[in-house]
Amino acid sequence: MDVSGSVPPAKAGEVETPSDPLAYEGVWRFTAPAVEESVPQARRAVRDLLGRQGVPAHQDLVYSLLLIVSELVTNSVRHAALLSPEVAVEVAIGREWVRVAVEDNHPYRPKALEADFGQTGGRGLLLVREITLESGGVCDVEHTSTGGKVIWAALPLAAPPTAG
């Protein structure tokens, strides 16, 4: 399944021109099977959406968002697929921020683990948290009304202040 084709185009009536600087705002949601192949497909779908909508995002922000999406979809595929055969990805774009969220139907609320350099895995949420904080954003895990969870990260469109 190619999830990139399931991301809806710009809403009817929206004009994507420099004279309408906020044409990129909106919320898009797509679902994919909880399988390994969905990870790169979700990443491509988000990258294509940001480009198609003309989001004024610098290269580091796009890279950070794509890495976050990859980590969160991978976690759902690896840890929630048994109870959640489908994963949902949502991208919400505002005037000053971009929020990516991944939802599954597994009730377990994971915590960002401390780095254990002896392990080869288990650091995905730690990485998401650190990327988010470094970008000047926020992230969290919430329960859904259906008993699952959504993990989200919101990053500002403006470049974070540099340490001087």
Side-chain angles (χ1 to χ4, degrees):
M1 173 182 185
D2 182 4
V3 295
S4 62
S6 64
V7 177
K11 297 178 189 101
E14 281 189 341
V15 179
E16 297 177 347
T17 64
S19 64
D20 186 3
L22 302 181
Y24 58 84
E25 289 186 65
V27 178
W28 294 265
R29 183 178 175 90
F30 59 90
T31 59
V35 296
E36 297 272 337
E37 293 81 11
S38 293
V39 176
Q41 290 175 345
R43 190 174 48 245
R44 276 192 304 275
V46 171
R47 183 196 63 216
D48 293 349
L49 173 67
L50 294 173
R52 184 174 61 245
Q53 291 304 114
V55 178
H58 54 87
Q59 185 177 4
D60 288 344
L61 174 64
V62 173
Y63 179 75
S64 295
L65 288 167
L66 298 180
L67 187 55
I68 289 169
V69 167
S70 292
E71 289 295 331
L72 296 181
V73 173
T74 296
N75 280 353
S76 285
V77 167
R78 289 189 180 161
H79 305 295
L82 186 61
L83 294 178
S84 185
E86 193 169 72
V87 60
V89 177
E90 183 175 279
V91 180
I93 306 169
R95 177 182 291 204
E96 299 175 358
W97 50 267
V98 178
R99 179 182 185 264
V100 292
V102 175
E103 181 179 336
D104 62 51
N105 291 322
H106 197 289
Y108 175 68
R109 183 182 168 129
K111 296 179 180 148
L113 303 176
E114 295 303 318
D116 178 355
F117 297 105
Q119 291 184 338
T120 58
R123 288 181 240 137
L125 289 180
L126 178 65
L127 180 63
V128 167
R129 185 182 71 192
E130 293 305 312
I131 290 170
T132 301
L133 292 175
E134 185 176 295
S135 299
V138 294
C139 59
D140 202 2
V141 180
E142 299 172 357
H143 289 288
T144 64
S145 61
T146 58
K149 68 181 166 305
V150 60
I151 304 174
W152 59 269
L155 306 181
L157 283 174
T162 57

